[in-house]
Amino acid sequence: MEKIFCIGMFKTGTSSIGRAFEILGYKTLNGPWWPQGIMIQDTFYVRPKEWIPYYNNIMSVVKNYDAFQDYPWMFLYDKLYESYPNAKFILTVRNAEDVAESDINMLIKLGHSKEKIHSKDKLINRYTVHRKKVLKYFEKKNNFIEIDIFKGEGWKKLCSFLNKDIPNIDFPHMNKKKI
C-alpha cells in the first residue's frame, strides 16, 4: 500500500486526519511517536542535527505502517520525501490564531504552567513558518495537498487525492472543544 504522511502542525486537525486514514483502511501510526519512548523536545524543530541519529530507526518504523500523522512526521517531510518520493503528503491547515489558542489550551489542560507556555505570537510564528516551508518544498510536486477541515474540507478532497471512495459517515473531528 502507498505511504501517506500528514505533515500539518500541531492543532490543525492531524488527529482527525489520522482517524480518517483508519476509516479508509490504512494502517495508521498516530502520533506523537518517538523511538523507544525517547522524544526529542524540539517542538519548534530548531535543532535538526539532533534528529540525525534517529533517522534509521524512524525509517524502519515507516515500513510497518501506511499512514502517519503528528510528531515527528511534520518536521521530517523532506527526509520522508527523499525515501518515499511516490508517497502522498497532506498539510493540514487552520487559522493561525486558532492553532495557537488551541495549543495553549491543550498545554494548560495537560498541567503546564502558563508561565512556561510559549506566547501566542511565538506559536503563530511556528505555524506560519512551517506552512511556508512546506508549501515552498512541495510547490512543484503533484503528490501534495493542503486541507482545512475547519472550513469543511474533508472526505471529498481527501478521498479524491487518495483515489478512495467517500465513506457514508461524517468526516471525523477529534479533540473538538466542548462548548
Side-chain angles (χ1 to χ4, degrees):
M1 193 173 270
E2 66 188 339
K3 300 291 181 193
I4 305 160
F5 298 98
C6 174
I7 55 175
M9 185 54 67
F10 307 108
K11 312 314 288 175
T12 61
T14 57
S15 295
S16 299
I17 288 288
R19 181 67 188 122
F21 292 157
E22 292 170 343
I23 292 167
L24 292 172
Y26 294 102
K27 184 177 179 186
T28 304
L29 179 55
N30 292 296
W33 173 85
W34 198 250
Q36 300 178 10
I38 299 166
M39 190 168 184
I40 293 176
Q41 296 300 314
D42 186 20
T43 57
F44 283 78
Y45 199 57
V46 293
R47 301 182 313 274
K49 289 183 180 177
E50 199 171 316
W51 298 60
I52 294 170
Y54 300 102
Y55 286 163
N56 287 339
N57 196 331
I58 290 167
M59 291 307 178
S60 70
V61 169
V62 170
K63 294 174 186 173
N64 299 318
Y65 295 88
D66 307 315
F68 306 82
Q69 62 86 10
D70 210 321
Y71 187 88
W73 319 110
M74 67 184 73
F75 294 127
L76 304 177
Y77 58 86
D78 55 343
K79 304 294 184 261
L80 295 166
Y81 184 85
E82 289 170 16
S83 295
Y84 296 94
N86 296 318
K88 305 258 179 146
F89 292 84
I90 299 167
L91 178 65
T92 49
V93 296
R94 182 180 185 186
N95 173 280
E97 288 207 14
D98 292 343
V99 168
E101 287 175 15
S102 183
D103 214 356
I104 290 167
N105 290 337
M106 179 197 66
L107 291 169
I108 290 169
K109 185 177 176 182
L110 291 173
H112 294 261
S113 67
K114 290 181 183 180
E115 297 79 34
K116 292 188 177 184
I117 296 173
H118 295 290
S119 72
K120 185 176 178 180
D121 288 340
K122 187 166 183 172
L123 294 170
I124 288 170
N125 187 61
R126 174 181 69 180
Y127 168 78
T128 304
V129 167
H130 176 74
R131 183 175 181 212
K132 284 179 183 177
K133 284 180 179 178
V134 169
L135 291 174
K136 179 145 183 63
Y137 185 83
F138 285 97
E139 71 183 339
K140 297 202 188 301
K141 296 173 178 70
N142 64 359
N143 57 340
F144 169 82
I145 63 166
E146 186 177 42
I147 188 168
D148 188 338
I149 65 170
F150 298 89
K151 289 187 176 176
E153 295 179 336
W155 287 129
K156 185 176 180 182
K157 187 168 188 176
L158 182 64
C159 291
S160 174
F161 180 63
L162 299 176
N163 198 26
K164 291 279 201 173
D165 292 333
I166 296 173
N168 194 22
I169 59 173
D170 289 340
F171 193 85
H173 192 143
M174 311 300 290
N175 302 323
K176 194 172 190 175
K177 185 177 178 181
K178 293 173 179 66
I179 300 174

